[in-house]
């Protein structure tokens, strides 16, 4: 299972829930259920929406998924993919963003499926 989890893969996900919290209050999206496509390629994650770093530190999380971390001056990101089966999983993402004068915490949950690698999707290295 470990080689499957860390292998390069393309995921298609649907957002289940999202929330942003700051000292000023809490906010949920007006239009939940957005689609997220991303590619895990080596130590890189890239896609549309929640991937803002060029390189991530990706490690196995037992036999059932992986964790990824990234840090910059503007934000800290943590991802956890929990596999339900070999081709289905849940992706959790939490970010602490240094936004203006106070930090904001954003959390998201996605239902994901592994899809075939598609050359038209691009590569993380080109990010």
């Amino acid at each position: 299972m470990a080689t499957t989890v860390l292998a390069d893969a393309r995921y298609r996900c649907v957002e289940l829930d999202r929330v942003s919290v700051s000292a000023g209050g809490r906010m949920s999206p007006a239009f939940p259920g957005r689609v997220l496509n991303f590619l895990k390629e080596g130590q890189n994650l890239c896609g549309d929406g929640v991937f803002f770093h060029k390189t991530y530190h990706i490690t196995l999380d037992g036999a059932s998924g992986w964790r990824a971390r990234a840090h910059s001056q503007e934000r800290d990101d943590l991802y956890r993919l929990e596999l339900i089966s070999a081709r289905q999983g849940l992706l959790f993402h939490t970010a602490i963003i240094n936004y203006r004068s106070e930090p904001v915490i954003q959390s998201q949950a996605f239902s994901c499926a592994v899809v075939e690698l598609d050359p038209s999707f691009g590569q993380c290295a080109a990010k």
Side-chain angles (χ1 to χ4, degrees):
M1 180 66 128
T3 55
T4 302
V5 172
L6 284 180
D8 294 348
R10 181 175 181 233
Y11 297 87
R12 181 168 180 81
C13 308
V14 176
E15 185 178 62
L16 301 172
D17 197 16
R18 177 178 16 155
V19 65
S20 294
V21 179
S22 71
R26 180 182 187 272
M27 181 181 78
S28 292
F31 303 104
R34 72 179 168 147
V35 173
L36 169 70
N37 294 293
F38 77 95
L39 178 64
K40 188 216 154 291
E41 184 179 76
Q43 288 289 310
N44 294 323
L45 297 169
C46 59
D48 47 7
V50 299
F51 304 101
F52 299 96
H53 304 276
K54 187 167 184 159
T55 303
Y56 294 83
H57 178 71
I58 301 173
T59 57
L60 281 176
D61 189 15
S64 63
W66 48 259
R67 291 177 186 252
R69 294 180 290 123
H71 168 77
S72 71
Q73 186 174 1
E74 295 82 31
R75 60 186 298 131
D76 289 287
D77 288 276
L78 175 63
Y79 303 84
R80 181 170 184 243
L81 180 76
E82 177 71 26
L83 291 178
I84 298 168
S85 70
R87 300 192 61 81
Q88 298 282 331
L90 296 172
L91 176 68
F92 300 94
H93 169 240
T94 299
I96 300 174
I97 303 164
N98 298 317
Y99 182 71
R100 297 187 184 151
S101 63
E102 62 184 38
V104 174
I105 297 175
Q106 294 179 345
S107 292
Q108 298 159 297
F110 297 89
S111 174
C112 298
V114 175
V115 294
E116 298 302 317
L117 285 174
D118 179 355
S120 68
F121 184 71
Q123 295 179 330
C124 291
K127 185 175 177 183

